[in-house]
Amino acid sequence: MARPGSGWRDLKEEVLRLYSPLDVAQRYGLELRRMGRVWAARCPFHPDTRPSFFVYPDGFHCFGCGWHGNVVDFVAAAEQVGWREALDLLAGGHLGAPKAVRPPAPEERAPTAEELAAVQVAWETCRRHLRDRRPREYLTRRGIPLDVAEELGLGYWAPGVATRLEALGLVEAALAVGLLRRRRSPMGEELPRYWEPFRGRVIIPDLTRGGQARWLTGRAADDVTEPKYLNLSLPKPLLGLDTVEGEEAALVEGPLDWVAARAMGLPAVATLGAHVGRLKITSLARFRRVFLLFDADEAGQQAARDLAKALGRRAVIVPIPKGAKDVADLLLAQGGKGRLLRAMEAAREKKGG
Ligand SMILES: [Zn+2]
C-alpha cells in the first residue's frame, strides 16, 4: 500500500498506541511468564534455553542475543518483512502466525576446552572485583559474609573482562557460551563489536574439586533488574556438587539459596530450577541422605515431592520454617539458621534416622 511519508509516521504512532508489546507477544504465541514487573519468554529470534526475551511496556529486549525493538520491529522480524509492511499488518489487524516465531530447539552440549578456558578466565577476572563497592553492598544486604563469598569463589563482572578475553584470544569461545554477545541490529545483520551481558552482575561459579570454574551464573546486584539470573548457554550443572564431601547433601533451588546454605555451613547443592533430569538424579546417588530444602511456595513443595519420589529412601523433605519463603530468606531472619537446622533434624527423625 502506498502512503506518503507523513502518513507512515501517523500510522506508526497510531499502531504504537493501539498495540502493547504484551498484546503482540501473546498474539504470536510466546509462552509468557511474569518476572517481577515485566514479562519474559524464550526468545523467538535465537535458540534460547530459558526466558531471555523481556517484554516491557514500551518494547522488547533479549538478554541472550541483544535483539531490541518495539512492536513494529517485532512484527517485521517475526514475519521477515520490512517495517512498512509490518505497519500495514498491524494496522490491518492481520497478526499472529505463531509458526513464524517458534524458537529453534535449545542445544544441550558439553563445552569445548576453549570454552572452558573462557569461563575460567572470565571467572578469575570477576573474582578480583568481589570487594568492589557494588557487590559488597549487595552481599551485605543479603547477609552473606564476605569471607564466605570469597571462599565460594563469588565475583563481580566489572568492565575489563571482555578486554581480558580478547587479549587471550578467547572471544569466539566466549561468544559461543554466552559470556559475550554479538551486537545485532533489529534487521539481523551482525555488527563488529560485542557486548557483555553479565556486566554489573554478581558472579556465582560452579567449581570443580580442583578449583576450576566450569559454569557460572550472574545475579543482578539489586532487586529490581530483570532477569534476576543470567546463565551461560551451557547445560546447567548441579551447582556445588563437586565440592560436597561426605554422605549428606542439602538440596536447594536457586544460586542465592545455595550461597546462603553454604554460609550456614550446610553441604549445599543447587538444582537451579524445579525440574531435575534423570542424569542429575543419578549423580545424587552417592549420598546416603539428601535433604530437600525447596522454596515454601506450592511450586517448590511440588518439586520437592517429585524429586523425593525419584530419590527414594535417601530423600528427606524439610519444610522451610514459617515466616521465610526460601533458604536465602532464612539467612536474613532472626535465628534463621538455628530454625533451619532444627527443622532438618526434626525431618530426619520423622524419617527414622
Ligand atoms: Zn534473543
Side-chain angles (χ1 to χ4, degrees):
M1 203 185 307
R3 290 175 202 271
S6 64
W8 285 112
R9 238 189 343 269
D10 292 348
L11 184 62
K12 184 171 178 184
E13 269 171 29
E14 192 189 324
V15 157
L16 291 178
R17 211 173 35 244
L18 275 174
Y19 291 96
S20 76
L22 186 60
D23 273 348
V24 172
Q26 278 167 341
R27 282 171 195 246
Y28 275 85
L30 265 61
E31 283 173 36
L32 293 153
R33 276 202 238 159
R34 192 176 257 295
M35 304 273 256
R37 289 162 303 170
V38 298
W39 294 83
R42 286 202 290 155
C43 179
F45 306 124
H46 85 275
D48 197 8
T49 55
R50 59 195 314 278
S52 309
F53 190 78
F54 280 69
V55 181
Y56 298 95
D58 59 347
F60 308 91
H61 182 77
C62 177
F63 286 88
C65 64
W67 193 93
H68 187 92
N70 59 27
V71 295
V72 181
D73 302 319
F74 182 97
V75 171
E79 303 286 352
Q80 304 197 312
V81 297
W83 66 270
R84 286 190 172 86
E85 221 174 312
L87 264 184
D88 270 338
L89 286 170
L90 281 156
H94 303 298
L95 278 191
K99 63 182 188 324
V101 289
R102 275 275 169 263
E107 51 178 310
E108 287 267 295
R109 59 177 185 85
T112 65
E114 282 235 305
E115 289 165 359
L116 282 174
V119 173
Q120 175 73 9
V121 164
W123 169 62
E124 281 171 351
T125 314
C126 292
R127 279 191 93 176
R128 288 183 217 135
H129 292 278
L130 182 65
R131 286 173 184 271
D132 287 7
R133 188 178 56 82
R134 212 148 169 256
R136 222 177 45 224
E137 281 176 1
Y138 176 74
L139 294 170
T140 305
R141 222 166 38 243
R142 304 305 305 232
I144 299 159
L146 207 54
D147 59 330
V148 170
E150 224 149 45
E151 202 178 306
L152 296 175
L154 268 56
Y156 179 69
W157 192 297
V161 182
T163 316
R164 183 96 190 102
L165 289 164
E166 205 165 6
L168 293 168
L170 291 168
V171 167
E172 285 307 316
L175 285 166
V177 295
L179 285 164
L180 301 176
R181 297 283 185 187
R182 266 192 218 295
R183 285 186 201 284
R184 257 174 223 277
S185 77
M187 302 315 288
E189 72 256 36
E190 290 200 350
L191 301 170
R193 293 290 294 174
Y194 40 79
W195 61 290
E196 298 169 90
F198 287 88
R199 191 155 156 181
R201 287 175 175 265
V202 173
I203 301 300
I204 304 173
D206 182 48
L207 302 180
T208 64
R209 212 170 286 236
Q212 303 277 305
R214 61 182 162 192
W215 185 87
L216 55 81
T217 186
R219 174 65 168 84
D222 56 44
D223 295 316
V224 187
T225 305
E226 300 285 351
K228 278 197 180 64
Y229 291 100
L230 197 60
N231 292 325
L232 296 179
S233 50
L234 287 172
K236 284 184 200 168
L238 281 170
L239 178 62
L241 181 65
D242 265 25
T243 50
V244 172
E245 283 162 20
E247 299 186 313
E248 295 190 339
L251 230 52
V252 297
E253 282 188 58
L256 207 60
D257 297 320
W258 177 77
V259 174
R262 285 290 177 101
M264 295 178 195
L266 296 173
V269 174
T271 58
L272 304 174
H275 177 75
V276 182
R278 189 187 296 266
L279 205 64
K280 286 181 180 168
I281 288 168
T282 309
S283 60
L284 291 169
R286 72 169 155 105
F287 298 109
R288 196 173 53 80
R289 184 72 73 215
V290 178
F291 293 96
L292 302 177
L293 311 173
F294 279 25
D295 295 0
D297 61 14
E298 185 42 41
Q301 289 309 299
Q302 184 59 50
R305 286 191 293 270
D306 291 347
L307 191 53
K309 210 178 286 173
L311 285 168
R313 267 168 14 95
R314 61 175 62 84
V316 179
I317 296 181
V318 182
I320 297 290
K322 279 201 177 31
K325 58 185 191 320
D326 54 32
V327 177
D329 239 16
L330 277 168
L331 190 62
L332 286 170
Q334 186 77 36
K337 176 182 170 181
R339 275 154 61 205
L340 183 61
L341 295 182
R342 282 194 295 279
M344 287 172 73
E345 279 321 303
R348 183 211 294 274
E349 272 167 33
K350 197 170 146 200
K351 183 97 183 183

